[in-house]
Amino acid sequence: LFRGFGQNVVTMPSTIHKVLFRADQVTSEMQGVIVQGFVMWQIYREGDGPFRAYKNIQSPEEGNENIARMAESILRAQVANMTIKEVIQNREQLRDKVRADMMSVIRGWGVWLETVEVFDIKVSSQSLFNDMQTKHRMETHRAAEQIRLAVEHEMRAERVKLDLESSKNSKQAETEKNIFAAEQALKQEQQQEKLVAEQQRIALFKLENDRTLKMKKAAIQAELDETQTKRACEIKSLQADNDLDILKRRIAVEATMSEASLRQATLQASTDIFKSIPLSSVKLVNCITPQGTGWDSLLPGLATISNNLQEQAASK
Protein backbone atom coordinates (compact mmCIF):
# COMPACT_ATOMS: atom_id res chain seq x y z
CA LEU A 1 0.00 0.00 0.00
CA PHE A 2 1.45 3.38 -1.05
CA ARG A 3 1.66 5.96 1.70
CA GLY A 4 2.45 9.62 1.02
CA PHE A 5 4.50 12.03 3.11
CA GLY A 6 2.76 12.79 6.43
CA GLN A 7 0.13 10.06 5.93
CA ASN A 8 -0.55 7.21 8.38
CA VAL A 9 -1.92 3.77 7.63
CA VAL A 10 -4.26 2.33 10.24
CA THR A 11 -5.61 -1.26 10.28
CA MET A 12 -9.12 -1.47 11.77
CA PRO A 13 -10.46 -4.83 13.06
CA SER A 14 -13.55 -6.09 11.24
CA THR A 15 -14.55 -8.68 13.84
CA ILE A 16 -17.64 -8.40 16.04
CA HIS A 17 -17.01 -7.40 19.63
CA LYS A 18 -19.16 -8.62 22.56
CA VAL A 19 -19.47 -6.38 25.62
CA LEU A 20 -21.15 -7.40 28.90
CA PHE A 21 -22.83 -4.76 31.04
CA ARG A 22 -24.54 -4.63 34.47
CA ALA A 23 -26.72 -1.85 35.87
CA ASP A 24 -27.68 -1.58 39.57
CA GLN A 25 -30.57 0.84 39.98
CA VAL A 26 -33.62 1.59 42.14
CA THR A 27 -37.06 1.68 40.54
CA SER A 28 -39.74 4.30 40.92
CA GLU A 29 -40.81 2.35 44.03
CA MET A 30 -37.29 2.82 45.49
CA GLN A 31 -36.53 -0.89 45.25
CA GLY A 32 -33.18 -2.03 43.87
CA VAL A 33 -32.85 -4.24 40.80
CA ILE A 34 -29.86 -5.63 38.89
CA VAL A 35 -30.07 -5.74 35.08
CA GLN A 36 -27.47 -7.67 33.06
CA GLY A 37 -27.01 -7.89 29.33
CA PHE A 38 -24.58 -7.71 26.43
CA VAL A 39 -23.91 -5.60 23.33
CA MET A 40 -22.40 -6.89 20.09
CA TRP A 41 -20.79 -4.22 17.88
CA GLN A 42 -18.29 -3.72 15.06
CA ILE A 43 -16.72 -0.95 12.95
CA TYR A 44 -19.24 0.65 10.57
CA ARG A 45 -17.96 -0.26 7.10
CA GLU A 46 -19.95 2.18 4.97
CA GLY A 47 -18.67 5.61 3.98
CA ASP A 48 -16.33 7.27 6.43
CA GLY A 49 -17.27 4.89 9.22
CA PRO A 50 -13.73 3.54 9.63
CA PHE A 51 -12.30 7.09 9.65
CA ARG A 52 -14.70 8.23 12.40
CA ALA A 53 -13.93 5.09 14.38
CA TYR A 54 -10.22 5.88 14.07
CA LYS A 55 -10.80 9.40 15.45
CA ASN A 56 -13.15 8.38 18.33
CA ILE A 57 -11.93 4.95 19.39
CA GLN A 58 -8.28 4.55 20.19
CA SER A 59 -8.53 0.78 20.80
CA PRO A 60 -11.16 -1.98 20.91
CA GLU A 61 -10.87 -2.12 24.69
CA GLU A 62 -11.70 1.58 24.93
CA GLY A 63 -14.63 1.05 22.60
CA ASN A 64 -15.92 -1.83 24.74
CA GLU A 65 -15.71 0.23 27.91
CA ASN A 66 -17.44 3.26 26.39
CA ILE A 67 -20.25 1.16 24.94
CA ALA A 68 -20.76 -0.75 28.25
CA ARG A 69 -20.93 2.54 30.20
CA MET A 70 -23.41 4.00 27.74
CA ALA A 71 -25.65 0.89 27.98
CA GLU A 72 -25.58 1.00 31.77
CA SER A 73 -26.46 4.73 31.80
CA ILE A 74 -29.41 4.26 29.47
CA LEU A 75 -30.67 1.29 31.54
CA ARG A 76 -30.43 3.21 34.84
CA ALA A 77 -32.40 6.09 33.41
CA GLN A 78 -35.05 3.74 32.05
CA VAL A 79 -35.32 1.59 35.22
CA ALA A 80 -35.62 4.66 37.47
CA ASN A 81 -38.95 5.54 35.80
CA MET A 82 -40.41 2.02 35.92
CA THR A 83 -41.86 -0.22 38.61
CA ILE A 84 -40.34 -3.56 39.51
CA LYS A 85 -43.16 -5.37 37.78
CA GLU A 86 -42.63 -3.33 34.60
CA VAL A 87 -38.90 -3.97 34.68
CA ILE A 88 -39.36 -7.71 35.06
CA GLN A 89 -42.15 -8.05 32.52
CA ASN A 90 -40.97 -5.55 29.86
CA ARG A 91 -37.52 -6.91 29.09
CA GLU A 92 -37.95 -6.35 25.36
CA GLN A 93 -38.91 -2.72 26.00
CA LEU A 94 -35.64 -2.18 27.89
CA ARG A 95 -33.63 -3.81 25.13
CA ASP A 96 -35.26 -1.74 22.38
CA LYS A 97 -34.79 1.49 24.40
CA VAL A 98 -31.06 0.81 24.95
CA ARG A 99 -30.55 -0.06 21.27
CA ALA A 100 -32.39 3.01 19.97
CA ASP A 101 -30.64 5.47 22.28
CA MET A 102 -27.20 3.99 21.64
CA MET A 103 -27.61 3.93 17.86
CA SER A 104 -28.42 7.63 17.80
CA VAL A 105 -25.11 8.36 19.57
CA ILE A 106 -22.51 5.82 18.49
CA ARG A 107 -23.22 6.08 14.76
CA GLY A 108 -21.14 9.25 14.85
CA TRP A 109 -18.36 7.15 16.38
CA GLY A 110 -18.19 4.97 13.28
CA VAL A 111 -19.65 1.98 15.18
CA TRP A 112 -22.52 -0.33 14.18
CA LEU A 113 -24.60 -2.20 16.79
CA GLU A 114 -25.40 -5.74 15.77
CA THR A 115 -27.62 -6.51 18.75
CA VAL A 116 -28.43 -5.59 22.36
CA GLU A 117 -29.79 -8.25 24.68
CA VAL A 118 -30.94 -8.25 28.34
CA PHE A 119 -30.52 -11.75 29.71
CA ASP A 120 -31.06 -11.34 33.47
CA ILE A 121 -33.06 -9.13 35.84
CA LYS A 122 -32.82 -9.65 39.58
CA VAL A 123 -34.40 -7.95 42.57
CA SER A 124 -31.68 -6.89 44.99
CA SER A 125 -33.66 -7.71 48.12
CA GLN A 126 -34.36 -11.42 48.50
CA SER A 127 -37.19 -10.77 50.97
CA LEU A 128 -38.80 -8.32 48.54
CA PHE A 129 -38.39 -10.81 45.74
CA ASN A 130 -40.08 -13.48 47.87
CA ASP A 131 -42.89 -11.07 48.79
CA MET A 132 -43.39 -10.25 45.13
CA GLN A 133 -43.73 -13.90 44.36
CA THR A 134 -46.20 -14.53 47.18
CA LYS A 135 -49.24 -13.37 45.26
CA HIS A 136 -48.16 -15.25 42.16
CA ARG A 137 -47.40 -18.32 44.20
CA MET A 138 -50.76 -18.14 45.94
CA GLU A 139 -52.58 -17.61 42.67
CA THR A 140 -50.63 -20.46 41.12
CA HIS A 141 -51.36 -22.66 44.13
CA ARG A 142 -55.04 -21.73 44.02
CA ALA A 143 -55.20 -22.42 40.27
CA ALA A 144 -53.41 -25.71 40.80
CA GLU A 145 -55.78 -26.58 43.65
CA GLN A 146 -58.78 -25.70 41.52
CA ILE A 147 -57.42 -27.81 38.70
CA ARG A 148 -56.76 -30.65 41.14
CA LEU A 149 -60.28 -30.40 42.57
CA ALA A 150 -61.77 -30.22 39.10
CA VAL A 151 -59.74 -33.25 38.02
CA GLU A 152 -60.75 -35.14 41.16
CA HIS A 153 -64.38 -34.21 40.55
CA GLU A 154 -64.13 -35.37 36.96
CA MET A 155 -62.39 -38.53 38.08
CA ARG A 156 -65.10 -39.23 40.69
CA ALA A 157 -67.79 -38.59 38.12
CA GLU A 158 -65.98 -40.80 35.64
CA ARG A 159 -65.49 -43.46 38.32
CA VAL A 160 -69.20 -43.33 39.23
CA LYS A 161 -70.05 -43.53 35.56
CA LEU A 162 -67.71 -46.46 35.06
CA ASP A 163 -69.06 -48.19 38.19
CA LEU A 164 -72.61 -47.64 36.97
CA GLU A 165 -71.71 -48.91 33.53
CA SER A 166 -69.87 -51.88 35.04
CA SER A 167 -72.82 -52.65 37.32
CA LYS A 168 -75.18 -52.32 34.39
CA ASN A 169 -73.03 -54.58 32.25
CA SER A 170 -72.70 -57.04 35.12
CA LYS A 171 -76.46 -57.15 35.68
CA GLN A 172 -77.08 -57.43 31.97
CA ALA A 173 -74.53 -60.24 31.75
CA GLU A 174 -76.14 -61.95 34.75
CA THR A 175 -79.57 -61.55 33.16
CA GLU A 176 -78.33 -62.94 29.86
CA LYS A 177 -76.66 -65.79 31.75
CA ASN A 178 -79.92 -66.60 33.58
CA ILE A 179 -81.89 -66.40 30.34
CA PHE A 180 -79.40 -68.69 28.64
CA ALA A 181 -79.51 -71.11 31.58
CA ALA A 182 -83.34 -71.06 31.50
CA GLU A 183 -83.35 -71.66 27.74
CA GLN A 184 -80.89 -74.53 28.13
CA ALA A 185 -82.99 -76.01 30.97
CA LEU A 186 -86.12 -75.68 28.82
CA LYS A 187 -84.36 -77.34 25.88
CA GLN A 188 -83.14 -80.09 28.18
CA GLU A 189 -86.64 -80.61 29.56
CA GLN A 190 -88.06 -80.68 26.04
CA GLN A 191 -85.43 -83.20 24.98
CA GLN A 192 -86.13 -85.21 28.13
CA GLU A 193 -89.86 -85.14 27.35
CA LYS A 194 -89.14 -86.25 23.80
CA LEU A 195 -86.91 -89.01 25.13
CA VAL A 196 -89.55 -90.14 27.64
CA ALA A 197 -92.22 -90.03 24.94
CA GLU A 198 -89.98 -92.05 22.62
CA GLN A 199 -89.24 -94.53 25.40
CA GLN A 200 -92.97 -94.83 26.13
CA ARG A 201 -93.68 -95.32 22.44
CA ILE A 202 -90.98 -98.00 22.23
CA ALA A 203 -92.31 -99.67 25.40
CA LEU A 204 -95.87 -99.58 24.04
CA PHE A 205 -94.66 -100.94 20.73
CA LYS A 206 -92.77 -103.65 22.58
CA LEU A 207 -95.86 -104.51 24.64
CA GLU A 208 -97.94 -104.66 21.48
CA ASN A 209 -95.33 -106.87 19.87
CA ASP A 210 -95.14 -109.08 22.97
CA ARG A 211 -98.91 -109.34 23.13
CA THR A 212 -99.12 -110.09 19.41
CA LEU A 213 -96.30 -112.62 19.77
CA LYS A 214 -97.96 -114.23 22.77
CA MET A 215 -101.26 -114.37 20.90
CA LYS A 216 -99.51 -115.92 17.92
CA LYS A 217 -97.69 -118.38 20.19
CA ALA A 218 -100.95 -119.19 21.95
CA ALA A 219 -102.69 -119.70 18.59
CA ILE A 220 -99.82 -121.84 17.34
CA GLN A 221 -99.78 -123.78 20.62
CA ALA A 222 -103.55 -124.25 20.49
CA GLU A 223 -103.30 -125.38 16.90
CA LEU A 224 -100.44 -127.72 17.83
CA ASP A 225 -102.35 -129.04 20.83
CA GLU A 226 -105.39 -129.55 18.65
CA THR A 227 -103.26 -131.31 16.04
CA GLN A 228 -101.62 -133.48 18.72
CA THR A 229 -105.02 -134.25 20.22
CA LYS A 230 -106.38 -135.21 16.81
CA ARG A 231 -103.34 -137.34 16.14
CA ALA A 232 -103.61 -138.99 19.56
CA CYS A 233 -107.28 -139.69 18.92
CA GLU A 234 -106.49 -141.04 15.49
CA ILE A 235 -103.64 -143.19 16.89
CA LYS A 236 -105.93 -144.38 19.67
CA SER A 237 -108.66 -145.19 17.21
CA LEU A 238 -106.20 -146.99 14.95
CA GLN A 239 -104.73 -148.84 17.95
CA ALA A 240 -108.19 -149.86 19.08
CA ASP A 241 -109.07 -151.01 15.60
CA ASN A 242 -105.78 -152.87 15.40
CA ASP A 243 -106.31 -154.49 18.78
CA LEU A 244 -109.81 -155.43 17.83
CA ASP A 245 -108.61 -156.87 14.55
CA ILE A 246 -105.85 -158.77 16.37
CA LEU A 247 -108.35 -160.06 18.92
CA LYS A 248 -110.69 -161.16 16.17
CA ARG A 249 -107.88 -162.96 14.36
CA ARG A 250 -106.74 -164.56 17.59
CA ILE A 251 -110.22 -165.75 18.41
CA ALA A 252 -110.52 -167.15 14.92
CA VAL A 253 -107.16 -168.86 15.26
CA GLU A 254 -107.96 -170.15 18.72
CA ALA A 255 -111.16 -171.66 17.45
CA THR A 256 -109.19 -173.77 15.01
CA MET A 257 -106.31 -174.60 17.40
CA SER A 258 -105.99 -177.64 19.63
CA GLU A 259 -105.82 -177.21 23.37
CA ALA A 260 -102.02 -177.66 23.49
CA SER A 261 -101.45 -175.16 20.69
CA LEU A 262 -103.85 -172.74 22.38
CA ARG A 263 -101.91 -172.89 25.59
CA GLN A 264 -98.62 -172.38 23.77
CA ALA A 265 -99.99 -169.30 21.94
CA THR A 266 -101.46 -167.94 25.13
CA LEU A 267 -98.12 -168.28 26.89
CA GLN A 268 -96.27 -166.55 24.04
CA ALA A 269 -98.81 -163.71 23.99
CA SER A 270 -98.46 -163.26 27.74
CA THR A 271 -94.69 -163.13 27.37
CA ASP A 272 -94.94 -160.40 24.70
CA ILE A 273 -97.40 -158.40 26.79
CA PHE A 274 -95.19 -158.52 29.88
CA LYS A 275 -92.19 -157.39 27.82
CA SER A 276 -94.09 -154.30 26.67
CA ILE A 277 -95.10 -153.38 30.28
CA PRO A 278 -92.37 -151.45 32.26
CA LEU A 279 -92.62 -153.68 35.34
CA SER A 280 -89.75 -155.27 37.26
CA SER A 281 -91.93 -158.10 38.64
CA VAL A 282 -95.53 -159.32 38.41
CA LYS A 283 -97.43 -161.19 41.11
CA LEU A 284 -100.62 -162.96 40.09
CA VAL A 285 -103.12 -163.30 42.92
CA ASN A 286 -106.22 -164.69 41.23
CA CYS A 287 -106.81 -165.36 37.60
CA ILE A 288 -110.36 -166.72 37.98
CA THR A 289 -113.00 -164.69 36.15
CA PRO A 290 -116.58 -165.36 35.38
CA GLN A 291 -115.56 -166.07 31.81
CA GLY A 292 -113.13 -168.83 32.72
CA THR A 293 -109.85 -169.72 34.30
CA GLY A 294 -106.20 -169.72 33.30
CA TRP A 295 -104.25 -167.61 30.83
CA ASP A 296 -107.24 -166.98 28.62
CA SER A 297 -108.91 -164.87 31.30
CA LEU A 298 -105.63 -162.94 32.03
CA LEU A 299 -104.88 -161.78 28.52
CA PRO A 300 -107.70 -159.18 28.12
CA GLY A 301 -106.66 -157.48 31.39
CA LEU A 302 -103.00 -157.43 30.47
CA ALA A 303 -103.86 -155.97 27.05
CA THR A 304 -105.86 -153.19 28.76
CA ILE A 305 -102.95 -152.36 31.13
CA SER A 306 -100.52 -152.27 28.16
CA ASN A 307 -102.78 -149.86 26.24
CA ASN A 308 -103.13 -147.53 29.26
CA LEU A 309 -99.34 -147.40 29.79
CA GLN A 310 -98.77 -146.61 26.08
CA GLU A 311 -101.30 -143.79 26.24
CA GLN A 312 -99.59 -142.31 29.31
CA ALA A 313 -96.19 -142.50 27.60
CA ALA A 314 -97.62 -140.81 24.48
CA SER A 315 -99.19 -137.98 26.56
CA LYS A 316 -95.83 -137.23 28.27
Side-chain angles (χ1 to χ4, degrees):
L1 179 63
F2 177 76
R3 183 180 63 176
F5 180 76
Q7 294 180 342
N8 294 325
V9 176
V10 179
T11 302
M12 303 298 293
S14 61
T15 58
I16 296 176
H17 301 274
K18 181 178 181 180
V19 182
L20 298 176
F21 61 85
R22 169 176 171 160
D24 296 342
Q25 181 62 34
V26 293
T27 64
S28 61
E29 301 166 328
M30 301 305 293
Q31 301 295 333
V33 294
I34 301 173
V35 181
Q36 299 183 70
F38 64 89
V39 178
M40 299 186 71
W41 66 276
Q42 65 179 350
I43 301 300
Y44 187 64
R45 301 177 183 178
E46 302 295 333
D48 60 348
F51 179 72
R52 284 183 290 176
Y54 171 71
K55 291 194 300 181
N56 295 296
I57 301 174
Q58 300 299 321
S59 65
E61 291 77 12
E62 183 182 355
N64 289 339
E65 184 177 357
N66 292 335
I67 290 174
R69 296 296 175 268
M70 183 180 291
E72 292 173 2
S73 298
I74 296 171
L75 275 176
R76 288 192 183 96
Q78 187 69 20
V79 170
N81 297 317
M82 299 173 67
T83 64
I84 293 179
K85 184 177 180 180
E86 291 174 346
V87 172
I88 295 174
Q89 292 181 349
N90 298 326
R91 183 176 299 185
E92 293 182 357
Q93 180 180 348
L94 288 175
R95 180 195 65 187
D96 295 340
K97 179 65 176 175
V98 172
R99 178 180 176 82
D101 291 350
M102 289 183 68
M103 284 294 294
S104 64
V105 175
I106 65 175
R107 181 170 293 182
W109 296 358
V111 175
W112 173 260
L113 288 181
E114 293 291 339
T115 183
V116 177
E117 298 293 338
V118 176
F119 61 81
D120 189 23
I121 298 175
K122 293 181 180 180
V123 178
S124 300
S125 174
Q126 186 64 37
S127 60
L128 176 61
F129 181 72
N130 294 335
D131 293 339
M132 292 176 62
Q133 289 183 321
T134 301
K135 181 179 179 180
H136 177 70
R137 288 176 179 175
M138 295 300 296
E139 290 178 351
T140 304
H141 178 71
R142 182 176 64 182
E145 190 68 18
Q146 289 177 351
I147 293 173
R148 185 181 64 82
L149 292 175
V151 172
E152 288 182 355
H153 178 72
E154 292 179 359
M155 289 180 64
R156 284 196 297 269
E158 187 68 22
R159 189 177 294 110
V160 171
K161 183 179 178 181
L162 291 176
D163 292 341
L164 180 61
E165 188 69 20
S166 177
S167 178
K168 182 179 178 181
N169 292 336
S170 179
K171 290 182 179 179
Q172 184 176 0
E174 186 68 21
T175 302
E176 292 178 356
K177 181 179 179 181
N178 294 334
I179 293 174
F180 179 76
E183 290 177 352
Q184 293 299 318
L186 180 60
K187 289 181 180 179
Q188 187 175 3
E189 290 179 359
Q190 291 176 351
Q191 292 178 356
Q192 188 67 25
E193 289 178 356
K194 290 181 179 179
L195 180 60
V196 172
E198 184 66 18
Q199 290 177 349
Q200 291 178 353
R201 187 186 67 80
I202 293 173
L204 182 61
F205 179 75
K206 186 176 180 181
L207 290 174
E208 290 291 337
N209 288 340
D210 292 343
R211 185 176 64 180
T212 302
L213 184 60
K214 288 180 180 180
M215 292 177 63
K216 289 182 178 180
K217 286 183 178 180
I220 293 173
Q221 187 64 38
E223 184 178 356
L224 181 60
D225 293 341
E226 183 179 0
T227 302
Q228 290 179 352
T229 303
K230 288 182 179 180
R231 288 183 179 178
C233 292
E234 290 176 356
I235 292 172
K236 197 173 190 180
S237 177
L238 292 174
Q239 186 68 32
D241 292 340
N242 188 32
D243 292 341
L244 181 59
D245 185 49
I246 291 171
L247 182 60
K248 288 180 178 180
R249 289 180 182 178
R250 184 178 296 167
I251 293 171
V253 171
E254 290 178 351
T256 60
M257 294 177 78
S258 63
E259 185 176 355
S261 298
L262 182 58
R263 288 181 181 275
Q264 183 66 30
T266 301
L267 183 58
Q268 184 63 39
S270 298
T271 302
D272 295 336
I273 290 172
F274 282 124
K275 286 182 180 180
S276 63
I277 298 174
L279 297 176
S280 59
S281 62
V282 176
K283 183 178 181 181
L284 298 178
V285 177
N286 189 5
C287 294
I288 299 174
T289 62
Q291 289 80 11
T293 60
W295 291 102
D296 54 352
S297 62
L298 183 61
L299 288 175
L302 292 174
T304 302
I305 292 172
S306 177
N307 291 333
N308 290 334
L309 291 174
Q310 290 177 359
E311 290 178 0
Q312 289 179 5
S315 65
K316 289 181 181 180

